[in-house]
Amino acid sequence: MKHPTSVSLTLPPWLNALLRGEIEMRDPEQRMRWVIGLSRRNVEGKTGGPFAAAVFARESGRLLGAGVNRVEPLNLSPAHAEVVACAFAQKRAGTFDLSTVGSGCELVTSSQPCLMCLGAVLWSGVTRLAYGAAAADVQGILGFDEGPLPRDWQGELGRRGITVAGEFLRAEAVEVLELYKEMAGTVYNGRSKK
């Protein structure tokens, strides 16, 4: 088997169609509802797991990048929604450090970041994180392994200049997790089979 020389993160066609024009959302609730809607659409379209995320310029509300979970369709374990959204935002902004974009950027995600995505939050340069469902919801409803999250992860982000708004519209985000379970979506943790 030949060693690959590149890896590609792609969005599902339905999301590409949504991203054709400029999108701006100043209201935090509108942003979260939009992201939860993306997670629902990803489940209903069977284009990935029940997670979505988007990066917005904090002041203007301009969308810089959006992503949905693409682990299974792309066979890439790092293709979590937060990682995908940050990658597209960084590509669009032309920088690996989103803290240099305007007055900073906000990552809005349908669920609390897992351990890997928590690292992505730290290194992306976002200055605010808003999430819907809690890690306990993801683990309890679906059985995903969210990793050994630090006990005071929110405090750790705060000490690094990242504010956190947690469990925002949690009930709506949990509905998507329950839908994924009803549709018998794959729980794709590498450790779940051992």
Side-chain angles (χ1 to χ4, degrees):
M1 180 183 292
K2 186 179 175 186
H3 192 283
T5 58
S6 66
V7 175
S8 180
L9 289 176
T10 58
L11 298 174
W14 62 264
L15 183 49
N16 286 330
L18 279 177
L19 299 174
R20 285 203 178 112
E22 284 294 321
I23 296 173
E24 201 171 283
M25 295 179 215
R26 291 185 183 270
D27 179 48
E29 190 169 309
Q30 181 187 19
R31 293 177 193 175
M32 181 60 79
R33 277 219 164 82
W34 189 74
V35 166
I36 292 169
L38 295 181
S39 67
R40 177 177 293 281
R41 185 112 183 242
N42 208 39
V43 170
E44 292 170 345
K46 297 185 179 187
T47 52
F51 309 103
V55 176
F56 295 90
R58 284 184 70 173
E59 201 168 278
S60 69
R62 190 180 107 197
L63 177 71
L64 296 174
V68 291
N69 180 284
R70 300 287 285 155
V71 170
E72 203 171 5
L74 299 179
N75 289 314
L76 295 172
S77 63
H80 287 205
E82 296 92 335
V83 173
V84 173
C86 287
F88 279 103
Q90 290 167 333
K91 187 72 171 171
R92 184 172 187 184
T95 180
F96 61 86
D97 184 357
L98 294 171
S99 70
T100 64
V101 177
S103 62
C105 293
E106 175 185 45
L107 175 63
V108 179
T109 181
S110 61
S111 294
Q112 178 183 330
C114 69
L115 181 62
M116 178 179 68
C117 294
L118 185 60
V121 169
L122 286 171
W123 300 120
S124 68
V126 297
T127 55
R128 185 172 194 274
L129 167 68
Y131 69 90
D137 301 323
V138 175
Q139 291 171 328
I141 295 167
L142 298 175
F144 278 96
D145 179 359
E146 296 297 275
L149 294 164
R151 190 172 305 255
D152 185 27
W153 67 272
Q154 290 188 16
E156 288 297 327
L157 290 182
R159 285 185 279 284
R160 289 167 169 81
I162 303 167
T163 58
V164 178
E167 300 178 21
F168 187 47
L169 300 179
R170 181 180 182 185
E172 292 177 34
V174 164
E175 286 176 11
V176 178
L177 302 177
E178 290 170 343
L179 174 64
Y180 190 72
K181 184 175 183 174
E182 286 172 28
M183 293 179 66
T186 302
V187 177
Y188 41 78
N189 304 79
R191 303 227 182 283
S192 63
K193 295 172 183 67
K194 295 179 179 160

